[in-house]
Amino acid sequence: MQEPKVAEILSHPAVSIISLVDAVIEQAYARGASDIHIDPSRSELRMRLRIDGVLQEAQLLPKNIHSEIISRIKVLSGMRTDEHQMTQDGRFRHQFPNGETLDIRVSIAPTYHGENVVLRLLSDKAANYTLEILGFSAVDRTKMLAAIRRPNGMILSTGPTGSGKTTTLYTLIKMLNSPEVSIVTIEDPIEYAVDRVEQIQVNPRTGLTFANGLRSVLRQDPNIIMVGEIRDSETASIAVNTALTGHLLLSTLHTNDAATTLPRLLDMGIDAYLVASTINIAIGQRLVRKICHECKEEWVVNTAAEETLAAIPLKTPVKEGDVFYHGRGCRACGDFGYTGRLCISEVLVADAAIREAIMRKASAAELRKLAIKGGMTTMLEDGFAKAREGHTSIEEVLRVVYE
């Protein structure tokens, strides 16, 4: 697809706002962006693109077309065009000249210099993902496959915002999706439409919260339930009891690593015996940028680098002479040295030792030690393994793990 030129449209005396908004979306998609930020300042509009998880400057737009751009996006999203003092959320589908379509989620908020807008581009590429494509190692894939084969229990994906948790859950749902099972999801928002899966959008204005939705879903005779996020004690309590009564439940939690997930549920007021009885696995993950294939080159560890990396707790320490890789920067990657992303992960399996530790309310540090003793590969170890294989760089792994 040829990348449209926003600058060319802006150069015309009579700017077509419809063509401009279309070009902004198509340019962002062509560059592989996941989000478009259009932020007003005193005298201009700043357009930035989030590419491979990092915001990059894209274009400065004239301030005098600010209101027209916002109005156009509101019309596309079915929002109120006469409301300028409150946040609004919506979505629409963009059609490309070649007939392809792209779902776009929209968030508009009032700021000091006027309304800003963030567009999330929901590419249907996620429909083709597999655990291998996402970057999960063979060992972690085996653990996850064993967990989803169980008829009940909880599978939790954890990490900060933007770490790929939801994509991982969608991939697992796709693997579970068959005519023999009923799958229902409760999401906020629904990121991707999945055929033959009943998806419910949370709507607090009508009283449809995660907790209330989960109660209703249990009357829909499901086998598998996905809850977009466990945010509060009420949702956590219902989710745990759902997993205890013969359902397989998938959800996400905002924690730093897999081991912290279990004490987090205890902090939410869930009884230790319930957590120990229902958890199958906790998946901790981050997204790292992949080295650009066009400008990838070897990097040999020198004495100074070995001394710097000696403080990092690794089973196989980095030694002088070890070969890693980095991207030099080229036209194909915009001189960043990276194109695309993959996940680094750790999968904590709730074995007998972990369940016993949960029962006595062990700390996250103790649970982590037990998990490692039981065969868990930490995110840091997984990241350095991928760096040795040439998929990413040491700098990128350290940036993501220690950010």
Side-chain angles (χ1 to χ4, degrees), residues 238-260:
I238 301 169
V240 168
N241 280 285
T242 298
L244 195 65
T245 55
H247 302 86
L248 184 64
L249 187 134
L250 296 80
S251 191
T252 68
L253 267 177
H254 284 283
T255 59
N256 288 329
D257 55 35
T260 313

Side-chain angles (χ1 to χ4, degrees), residues 309-318 378 380-381 384 388:
L309 295 170
I312 298 173
L314 295 169
K315 288 182 180 178
T316 307
V318 177
T378 66
L380 194 62
E381 293 279 1
F384 268 78
R388 288 183 185 275

